[in-house]
Amino acid sequence: MEYIIVQLATAFIGSLGFAIILKIKGKQIVYAGIGGVLSWGVYLWVYDQLEGYFAANFTAALFVAVYAEIMARVNRAPATIFLTAAAIPLIPGRNLYNTMYGIVSEDSAFAWENATTAIVISLAISFGFVFVAVVNKYLNRLKAFRKGQ
């Protein structure tokens, strides 16, 4: 349990730090940090249930994209600022590092294994973001169409 609390606190601090680097202002910084905690919490829960990188990252990316859209409307700000900072905990940094380490140390099997995992994670995050963007765009067009009738 303590390990999970440390992970969630680290996700908050990491997202908060990136929000500051991205020059997000005011209370939106805190919302970005909360988004990071929630996205990592969703990732941990789904990974615990399914034990798969793709499913866990895809679900967390779906969640963070929906969260960003909601926060954008609540704060009257672009969704990108919340999406970018809150998705930071999902980035496969360890796998990217290990890929480079494997390349430098000429361990191609180790490099390839980590590169594959990093690509799978990156694709899952991308698919989650794109899925929410497409659904959001479709709903906005449907809303505009119904308004025009």
Side-chain angles (χ1 to χ4, degrees), residues 18 22 68 79-89 129:
F18 270 89
L22 296 170
T80 310
I81 64 174
F82 300 106
L83 183 67
T84 306
I88 290 300
F129 290 172

Side-chain angles (χ1 to χ4, degrees), residues 3-4 21 26 38-39 41 81 86 91-92 99 106 109 118 120 122 126 133 137:
Y3 184 67
I4 292 172
I21 289 170
L38 295 175
S39 67
I81 64 174
I91 304 299
T99 300
E106 298 178 5
V120 166
S122 299
S126 300
K137 190 169 193 166

